[in-house]
Each structure stands twice: as C-alpha cells, then as structure tokens.
Amino acid sequence: MSEEKKDFFVSDISLSYQYTAGNATTRFLNKVAEGKLVAQKCPKCSAVYVPPRGSCPRCGVATEEELELPDTGAVESFTIVHIPIPGNPIVPPYVSAMIRLDGADISFLHLIQEIDLADIRIGMRVQAVWKDKSDWGTTLENIKWFKPTGEDDVDPSVFKFKE
Ligand SMILES: [Zn+2]
C-alpha cells in the first residue's frame, strides 16, 4: 500500500449538544436534583436498574416500579486515567470507576477521589460525596465523586447479574 500525502490543518472547534433524556432518564434526573437515586425494577426478573432506561433489556418489558437506592455501593471495575483529556478540568492521575450502588444490578461510571491510587481495588466500598445542595441540578454531577467508606470489601461475585 502506498502512502498518499494529504494536506490537513488543525483547528479548535466548538460543538454544543442538546440531549433528549427520554421519560425514564428525565424522571431519574429530576430525582437526582432532589438528592435521590431512584432505580427501576423489572416486574419479570426483578433486576434493578440505575440509572433506569424504562425497560429491562433482558426481558423486554417496561420497568415502572421505582425504588430509592442509597448513595453507597462498591467498585465493580476501574481505570486510572493518566492522560489529560482536552477540556476536562480534572487533573490526572485520577480513578474512573464503574460503581454498583447497593441494591442495583447494573453500575454506572463515576469518579473516585479521596484515595491513594495504589489502594483502589474491585469490591471496595464507596459512598457519594455530594456537591453543596445550592449547586444541585438535573445531573449526576451533583455527586462530586465517590470516596472509600473504609468498610470491608464486598466479594466480587456479587457483581454477577442475577439469573
Ligand atoms: Zn427483566
């Protein structure tokens, strides 16, 4: 394969996005604005989804039953980010983790802070650190990050999706 020389230029651009959340996510984010983490439960397999999407992807049925979960959970997986991301104010290195809230069957991505990077591990118990209430909006950014609770780790087998 021959290498073709191409002309190019580098330029900064700005794009703005408008995200339509949908019914389930809108309900979830409105509760987050009140400091609540509200999941939805599948009527068929009892799986608990947070953030909810309005249906169970496994059973294909609507999830309408809602339940409030605590802001505590465990680290299901994680990565330590060393490379700065343009426009991201967080200075590396930092931990991005999939957090499984207590009572949930799926996890979501968030930051772990207030930790020595060498101590992060799967199964570590964590709790949300919320922003000041006056700064709350309809976003998971109401939670600044999660921090270790110091409790005993959970057995990673709890992360298996229930049959
Ligand atoms: Zn289901």
Side-chain angles (χ1 to χ4, degrees), residues 100 154-161:
R100 179 81 73 101
V154 301
D155 185 323
S157 67
V158 302
F159 299 135
K160 283 185 185 169
F161 200 86

Side-chain angles (χ1 to χ4, degrees), residues 42-47 49 55-61 63 161:
C42 176
K44 208 168 171 187
C45 72
S46 299
Y49 298 101
S55 64
C56 176
R58 189 164 59 170
C59 303
V61 297
T63 53
F161 200 86

Side-chain angles (χ1 to χ4, degrees), residues 11 13 19 23 44 63 75 83 85 87 105 107 110 124 128 143 153 157:
S11 174
I13 60 170
Y19 173 69
N23 290 339
K44 208 168 171 187
T63 53
V75 174
I83 300 169
I85 298 170
D105 290 295
S107 55
H110 218 295
M124 172 179 262
I143 296 173
D153 290 2
S157 67

Side-chain angles (χ1 to χ4, degrees), residues 27-42:
R27 288 183 58 78
F28 172 74
L29 292 174
N30 283 332
K31 292 294 183 183
V32 169
E34 300 170 10
K36 297 175 181 170
L37 299 169
V38 177
Q40 288 185 345
K41 186 176 185 178
C42 176

Side-chain angles (χ1 to χ4, degrees), residues 113-155:
Q113 298 272 286
E114 303 183 42
I115 185 173
D116 185 329
L117 295 179
D119 291 337
I120 184 72
R121 58 194 179 273
I122 290 172
M124 172 179 262
R125 299 277 305 151
V126 291
Q127 179 164 26
V129 176
W130 294 78
K131 286 181 180 172
D132 187 84
K133 202 170 182 174
S134 62
D135 294 331
W136 286 357
T138 51
T139 170
L140 263 182
E141 290 181 3
N142 292 354
I143 296 173
K144 288 194 288 187
W145 53 70
F146 284 76
K147 67 174 184 181
T149 65
E151 299 166 288
D152 290 342
D153 290 2
V154 301
D155 185 323

